[in-house]
């Protein structure tokens, strides 16, 4: 009987090892380490904005060190790999790896990361926004980007994530005061329509720029993958991982702002 238990444990351990290897392989195919580098850079821009708007530019090295500690790329990436492991079956991991290791998958990842990094420059973001506002809504390129956004429910999911992240930030900022959560929720929800409009404009601007080099066949293949069971599961896992990650980051940022304010009062 003891040997049976050992055999079962070995089989389970082996299966877990194979799943972990698949998760790591998918993370590598999706260039998640590069995505985290981009998010860390964006985090520094966010730090400057918080320092200016909430700290009157008094955060200094103390606040900078806190934000640097919060935006730990290894810790951040683990939210996504944990979400992959929880949300995708072994077969789905294999199918996702097959897509993202393909020439098209690698092209899509590279285009998205390059566009995301480029849009950190306000001038390039303005150019992308102008291109979106002027593009013909009946053009094939716009219709394909629109179909991709609708297939992945990107506007609604991003708005939900942004509002949840904002809620976490204010909880961190007010962690000791224990303010009225219902009032905070009502205030955030009142912004939902305007946030949706802003999110929609950013998404279309971003994807129209990112996917410009793709031809119609490539775009349709990308959309087709999104509509598969694996594509839907991966999309859910990505949003779950990002939402958890940004909620945690936002709470810690709010707490860092509060701590910096208290330190400046001493």
């Amino acid at each position: 009987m003891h040997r049976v238990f050992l055999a079962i444990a070995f089989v389970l351990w082996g299966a877990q090892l194979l799943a972990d290897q698949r998760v790591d392989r998918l993370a590598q195919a999706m260039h998640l380490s590069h995505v985290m580098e981009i998010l860390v850079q964006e985090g520094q821009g966010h730090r400057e904005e918080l320092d200016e708007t909430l700290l009157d530019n008094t955060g200094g090295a103390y606040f900078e060190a806190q934000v640097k500690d919060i935006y730990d790329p290894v810790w951040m990436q683990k939210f996504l790999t944990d979400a992959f492991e929880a949300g995708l079956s072994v077969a789905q991991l294999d199918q996702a790896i097959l897509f993202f290791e393909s020439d098209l998958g690698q092209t899509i990842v590279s285009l998205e990361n390059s566009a995301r990094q480029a849009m950190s420059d306000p001038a390039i973001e303005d150019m992308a926004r102008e291109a979106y506002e002027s593009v013909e809504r009946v053009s094939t390129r716009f219709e394909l980007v629109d179909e991709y956004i609708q297939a992945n429910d990107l506007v609604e999911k991003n708005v939900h994530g942004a509002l949840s992240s904002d809620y976490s930030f204010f909880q961190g900022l007010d962690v000791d005061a224990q303010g009225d959560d219902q009032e905070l929720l009502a205030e955030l929800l009142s912004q939902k329509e305007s946030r949706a409009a802003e999110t929609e404009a950013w998404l279309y601007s971003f994807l129209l720029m990112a996917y410009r080099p793709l031809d119609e066949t490539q775009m349709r293949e990308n959309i087709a993958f999104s509509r598969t069971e694996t594509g839907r599961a991966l999309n859910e896992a990505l949003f779950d991982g990002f939402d958890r990650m940004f909620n945690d980051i936002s709470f810690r940022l709010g707490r860092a702002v509060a701590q910096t304010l208290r330190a400046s009062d001493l």
Side-chain angles (χ1 to χ4, degrees):
M1 182 66 70
H2 181 61
R3 290 182 180 179
V4 172
F5 285 140
L6 285 177
I8 292 173
F10 180 77
V11 169
L12 291 175
W13 178 82
Q16 182 60 48
L17 181 62
L18 287 173
D20 289 345
Q21 290 173 342
R22 284 174 167 87
V23 167
D24 290 343
R25 187 171 165 187
L26 179 57
Q28 194 168 30
M30 297 181 72
H31 300 189
L32 288 190
S33 61
H34 187 200
V35 174
M36 297 307 115
E37 290 174 9
I38 296 170
L39 294 180
V40 168
Q41 292 171 6
E42 292 179 356
Q44 292 309 308
H46 191 35
R47 172 187 63 79
E48 294 173 1
E49 181 182 337
L50 290 172
D51 197 0
E52 180 181 352
T53 57
L54 297 180
L55 299 173
D56 198 25
N57 292 316
T58 63
Y62 177 71
F63 185 56
E64 184 175 356
Q66 289 185 86
V67 174
K68 184 177 180 181
D69 182 59
I70 290 169
Y71 281 91
D72 175 359
V74 175
W75 170 81
M76 291 161 63
Q77 183 168 322
K78 192 172 186 306
F79 280 95
L80 297 185
T81 53
D82 284 351
F84 289 168
E85 186 175 346
L88 279 76
S89 67
V90 169
Q92 289 170 338
L93 283 169
D94 284 338
Q95 291 163 6
I97 289 167
L98 185 64
F99 178 79
F100 282 102
E101 285 186 347
S102 70
D103 289 342
L104 176 58
Q106 288 295 289
T107 297
I108 288 169
V109 170
S110 295
L111 290 174
E112 288 182 354
N113 286 349
S114 296
R116 179 80 182 235
Q117 197 155 22
M119 283 184 68
S120 64
D121 183 336
I124 294 178
E125 183 174 354
D126 288 343
M127 290 173 57
R129 182 68 63 93
E130 290 172 7
Y132 158 63
E133 291 172 351
S134 63
V135 71
E136 291 288 338
R137 270 34 178 183
V138 293
S139 66
T140 300
R141 190 165 72 92
F142 180 84
E143 289 179 345
L144 288 170
V145 167
D146 179 67
E147 186 176 350
Y148 177 80
I149 287 173
Q150 301 302 325
N152 290 285
D153 195 21
L154 294 184
V155 175
E156 180 64 27
K157 288 183 181 296
N158 273 286
V159 170
H160 172 80
L163 293 175
S164 178
S165 178
D166 285 351
Y167 179 73
S168 296
F169 174 80
F170 286 111
Q171 281 192 313
L173 188 64
D174 197 38
V175 68
D176 295 323
Q178 296 182 346
D180 187 344
D181 283 355
Q182 293 303 315
E183 184 177 339
L184 173 58
L185 280 171
E187 172 63 25
L188 291 174
L189 289 174
S190 73
Q191 303 170 12
K192 185 174 182 180
E193 189 173 336
S194 61
R195 294 294 291 271
E198 178 60 27
T199 298
E200 181 176 302
W202 189 91
L203 280 169
Y204 280 90
S205 302
F206 166 66
L207 290 174
L208 284 166
M209 180 173 74
Y211 291 163
R212 180 182 291 274
L214 299 180
D215 60 30
E216 182 176 347
T217 300
Q218 291 171 315
M219 278 296 298
R220 292 196 183 282
E221 188 174 341
N222 189 25
I223 294 167
F225 173 74
S226 297
R227 295 189 185 280
T228 64
E229 185 177 337
T230 294
R232 292 194 298 271
L234 179 60
N235 191 46
E236 290 295 328
L238 280 169
F239 273 102
D240 179 62
F242 274 119
D243 284 351
R244 291 175 184 272
M245 180 189 75
F246 280 120
N247 285 344
D248 206 319
I249 286 174
S250 296
F251 180 84
R252 294 173 68 192
L253 282 173
R255 189 168 56 183
V257 169
Q259 290 171 344
T260 304
L261 284 170
R262 283 197 296 270
S264 66
D265 289 339
L266 297 178

